[in-house]
Amino acid sequence: MTAAPPKLGPFDLERVFRAVDKITERLNRATAALDAAGIPYAVIGGNAVANWVSRIDESMTRFTKDVDILLRPTDLDIAEAALTVSGFHKRATLGIVAFHDGPEGKSGDAIHVVLAGQKVRPGYLLPAPDVEERERGPNYFILNLDALVRMKLTSNRDHDRTHIRDLMRVGLVDETWLSRVPCELVERLKYCLDTPDG
């Protein structure tokens, strides 16, 4: 049986702007809760890449819906308490911890947690970095560039390679990084450098 096609809403750029505003609000609310509770964390993933890229050229910033945060496993319980007060609800599915925005929140509207010092998936070459590898932005802590590049190369999915190329396009990553990343990741970085257009 063929599924019915999705129902299309109208074209409306305001809908796009609202979606971006919701992600920004969710990220700011979650990190403010963690800051207020004194819990070490770092913003990772596409939002971290966007923050780094925008420091060079904001016109090159790529929109992402994912809000990913790095936490130490020992801080997960107190982080849950802080985030719950701010309206988030913890759900763990297939070993992935997420805090949905409200009791009926969708998975796309969640804060996704990566545990510091642990492999995100058993087959990954390297574990996630520690939260100490971070820099303070105006609103929240962001993973530093070295750790972010390692994470992206370790994940090595299509969108991770796209993020590496975004960093390349603004000059934050280049051939000199071949001696800067762990040996396990050199071939993955070389592939991105050799295929800048994907």
Side-chain angles (χ1 to χ4, degrees), residues 144-157:
N144 73 29
L145 190 57
D146 284 83
L148 182 60
V149 169
R150 287 199 316 271
M151 285 196 81
K152 285 293 168 183
L153 291 173
T154 297
S155 295
N156 201 39
R157 298 160 295 182

Side-chain angles (χ1 to χ4, degrees), residues 35-113:
D35 277 329
I39 301 166
Y41 70 89
V43 172
I44 58 174
N47 280 296
V49 173
N51 270 279
W52 276 101
V53 168
S54 70
R55 295 180 73 181
I56 305 294
D57 184 351
E58 64 184 16
S59 73
M60 297 292 288
T61 303
R62 188 182 301 273
F63 166 77
T64 181
K65 71 177 183 62
D66 294 326
V67 177
D68 301 318
I69 291 182
L70 184 71
L71 288 171
R72 289 181 178 140
T74 52
D75 290 332
L76 197 52
D77 287 343
I78 57 173
E80 179 179 358
L83 291 169
T84 298
V85 169
S86 293
F88 296 98
H89 294 258
K90 181 183 172 188
R91 293 185 200 162
T93 307
L94 301 175
I96 297 171
V97 176
F99 290 89
H100 290 236
D101 198 355
E104 304 301 322
K106 302 174 186 175
S107 60
D109 293 337
I111 305 294
H112 300 100
V113 174

